[in-house]
Amino acid sequence: MKRRSFTAFAVAASLGFSLAGGASAESLSDLQKRQQQIESQKSDIQNSITQKEQTITELQKEQDSVTAQIRQLDSKITESESKIRAKEQEIADTKAEIERLRAEIEELKIRIAERTVVLEDRARSIQQSGGSANYIDVLLGAESFSDFVNRATAVTTLVNADKDILQQQENDKKQLEESERKVKEQLASLEEMLAELEKMNAELQKQRTEKDNVMKGLVADEHEAHDHKLNLEEEQELLDSQQASIQAAIQAEKERIAEQERAAAAAAAAKKKAEQEAAAAAAAKAKAKASASAASASVPQAAASEPEPEAEPVVQAAPADSGGMFMRPAQGTFTSGYGQRSLGDHKGVDIAQAGSGVPIVAAADGVVSRSYYSDTYGNAILISHSINGQVYTTVYAHLSERLVNGGSVSKGQTIGYMGNTGRSYGQHLHFEIHKGPWTVGKENAVDPAQYINF
Ligand SMILES: [Zn+2]
């Protein structure tokens, strides 16, 4: 933050000083100079706000584009996952087909075994009738031509039948091998396709994760830009209120000068009147010169001296306990309420009081949980309270000085002095009550006006 420490309160304080000191012309030009400075600060801030708004718009555009990409990826993922499911179904079907073929193979094995038995039976019957397993021997052993014909017919039938059986067996075996080969091929190709689909899906998921991260970054950037804008707007608001109070101070100073001039004129008139009276009295005295030491008339004073303004005490009064759950943490003017700023992010109340020794007191009995300096809170004290079984945390920010660093404090005990440290624009106390612990997001913050009459 640049120098923006002078504020409504500082202005009021300097006005109070100038009233006592009476440097009215300088005071007026000072005030007017400050108004101009604030005006230029306001226009700087307005430019920054405009820039932040542009940044936000750009980030939102980028988010829209990433959202569209994510939408596309999601649709591709949906498609690829549906393909994977289909391939998995095909693989399951193919495995069932292999099972079915295996059952068929078992059946065929049984058939082959049965045929072998048939062939062996036939060979045995030929051996029994002809004594030899050899068909030629059977034919050559014919006793007559008709016997030969009979034997030849039988042999031909047997040979053809054997041939058929052997051919059948050969065909069955080939068919079986072919089916098995085809199905195995099919399974291998399905598994390859599934692997490819899964690889593609993994790639899509990876892209999706990358887009998610880009999106998260964009959203975070946008939040940050929003926060900056909020801070700038808050600053703008504070400058506005400063301008208003300076304007009031200028008005008051002008009225004071006019009043001073009226008083001077009245004093001059009174002096003139007194002089005239004195002259008249002198004339009367001259007339009655004879009566010596008859009168010891007192000459009236020209003007009564103004009473000295009372000096402000260094340490002012601490607030009195009004008897609630929490007491008022400081004397002064209630300048800003909970959530009362245009964007509703004020998580506490502000109390302002001029002077160097405005005491800040613990709002209730408790334990100091933190006493530290932060860029935003300035010198800050956090106190934990346990009231009727409920934990509360009170925050006292922008203090000039912290008087406690830990340990127990009691209700009304002075813990520090009001100041203007951290992100503060004029001496004030920023006071928060949290129902529960204090968090960065201030989710537990409650309106202190629920407990305290400000
Ligand atoms: Zn505040």
Side-chain angles (χ1 to χ4, degrees):
M1 267 310 109
K2 279 170 250 163
R3 277 206 68 231
R4 280 171 192 144
S5 54
F6 61 82
T7 67
F9 313 113
V11 165
S14 86
L15 183 65
F17 178 76
S18 84
L19 277 165
S24 58
E26 277 164 58
S27 169
L28 251 188
S29 79
D30 267 3
L31 288 168
Q32 277 154 353
K33 212 188 285 169
R34 281 177 188 182
Q35 282 291 55
Q36 281 163 10
Q37 282 173 335
I38 288 173
E39 200 49 58
S40 101
Q41 282 173 351
K42 275 174 69 181
S43 95
D44 283 355
I45 291 170
Q46 192 49 55
N47 287 342
S48 301
I49 289 174
T50 307
Q51 272 178 7
K52 286 291 166 209
E53 278 166 352
Q54 274 168 2
T55 305
I56 289 167
T57 306
E58 277 162 28
L59 285 166
Q60 280 170 346
K61 240 187 253 169
E62 277 181 64
Q63 283 177 40
D64 287 348
S65 127
V66 173
T67 302
Q69 287 170 32
I70 287 174
R71 208 181 299 130
Q72 258 184 342
L73 280 169
D74 280 351
S75 117
K76 280 186 187 168
I77 287 168
T78 301
E79 202 186 321
S80 107
E81 281 174 350
S82 145
K83 279 183 185 165
I84 285 171
R85 275 190 296 277
K87 283 294 161 224
E88 281 169 347
Q89 185 55 53
E90 275 187 66
I91 285 169
D93 290 349
T94 305
K95 281 179 176 167
E97 175 67 6
I98 287 170
E99 278 312 301
R100 198 184 59 79
L101 281 169
R102 273 185 191 151
E104 251 181 58
I105 288 165
E106 285 309 306
E107 223 174 282
L108 195 62
K109 273 183 185 166
I110 292 164
R111 255 189 286 159
I112 287 168
E114 282 168 358
R115 280 167 191 165
T116 306
V117 170
V118 169
L119 278 175
E120 279 171 0
D121 280 354
R122 284 185 186 172
R124 214 173 291 127
S125 72
I126 290 162
Q127 275 179 329
Q128 279 162 359
S129 57
S132 170
N134 192 313
Y135 298 145
I136 302 302
D137 286 347
V138 172
L139 289 173
L140 290 177
E143 285 162 4
S144 62
F145 183 69
S146 71
D147 184 29
F148 175 81
V149 169
N150 285 340
R151 286 188 181 212
T153 306
V155 166
T156 305
T157 308
L158 283 172
V159 167
N160 285 341
D162 286 357
K163 261 188 177 169
D164 284 350
I165 288 165
L166 288 169
Q167 192 59 51
Q168 187 64 48
Q169 274 184 313
E170 198 59 33
N171 288 347
D172 283 355
K173 215 177 128 199
K174 273 185 186 164
Q175 196 196 319
L176 193 72
E177 282 167 357
E178 181 62 13
S179 299
E180 214 181 359
R181 193 184 60 78
K182 274 189 184 163
V183 171
K184 277 182 177 168
E185 251 178 34
Q186 203 187 342
L187 184 65
S189 122
L190 282 169
E191 278 172 345
E192 203 178 303
M193 278 191 265
L194 181 67
E196 254 170 59
L197 281 168
E198 279 171 346
K199 202 173 126 195
M200 190 173 94
N201 197 43
E203 179 56 35
L204 286 168
Q205 299 284 7
K206 199 180 128 203
Q207 285 178 33
R208 171 68 214 252
T209 305
E210 281 164 11
K211 294 289 169 204
D212 280 349
N213 288 337
V214 170
M215 193 66 181
K216 269 181 214 158
L218 288 171
V219 169
D221 286 352
E222 197 204 326
H223 280 172
E224 206 181 314
H226 265 300
D227 281 353
H228 285 163
K229 193 181 156 217
L230 288 182
N231 289 339
L232 289 166
E233 281 169 349
E234 197 169 326
E235 223 173 310
Q236 193 81 306
E237 240 175 87
L238 282 154
L239 289 171
D240 282 344
S241 75
Q242 280 177 50
Q243 273 195 317
S245 66
I246 290 172
Q247 199 49 53
I250 287 173
Q251 194 52 42
E253 183 65 359
K254 281 180 176 165
E255 278 165 15
R256 194 192 64 80
I257 291 166
E259 182 52 45
Q260 215 173 34
E261 282 165 356
R262 272 197 298 278
K271 194 182 173 193
K272 201 176 170 190
K273 197 183 167 197
E275 277 167 0
Q276 282 168 350
E277 280 170 4
K285 199 181 172 187
K287 264 185 193 170
K289 212 172 190 174
S291 51
S293 71
S296 56
S298 65
V299 176
Q301 287 283 332
S305 62
E306 297 237 341
E308 281 292 310
E310 234 174 85
E312 222 165 30
V314 173
V315 173
Q316 301 186 15
D321 186 1
S322 49
M325 204 159 114
F326 292 103
M327 67 176 284
R328 199 178 216 283
Q331 295 272 46
T333 311
F334 184 75
T335 53
S336 181
Y338 181 86
Q340 267 181 12
R341 289 188 190 157
S342 64
L343 290 138
D345 69 334
H346 192 226
K347 295 294 185 192
V349 297
D350 294 344
I351 298 167
Q353 175 74 36
S356 61
V358 183
I360 304 301
V361 304
D365 291 348
V367 174
V368 175
S369 54
R370 269 192 105 176
S371 173
Y372 71 121
Y373 177 87
S374 97
D375 288 339
T376 48
Y377 274 160
N379 278 312
I381 294 171
L382 274 70
I383 300 177
S384 291
H385 313 272
S386 179
I387 303 170
N388 302 326
Q390 171 69 49
V391 169
Y392 291 87
T393 309
T394 50
V395 177
Y396 311 79
H398 311 309
L399 307 189
S400 163
E401 192 191 350
R402 292 175 276 120
L403 299 179
V404 290
N405 276 304
S408 299
V409 289
S410 51
K411 192 179 193 180
Q413 181 184 330
T414 300
I415 55 170
Y417 294 111
M418 197 182 276
N420 189 26
T421 54
R423 187 178 272 277
S424 170
Y425 306 91
Q427 174 163 301
H428 78 290
L429 170 72
H430 172 84
F431 176 66
E432 294 173 10
I433 298 181
H434 298 259
K435 197 166 183 179
W438 181 91
T439 63
V440 174
K442 299 189 183 178
E443 292 89 351
N444 297 331
V446 292
D447 187 356
Q450 283 177 27
Y451 306 99
I452 302 165
N453 269 328
F454 288 101

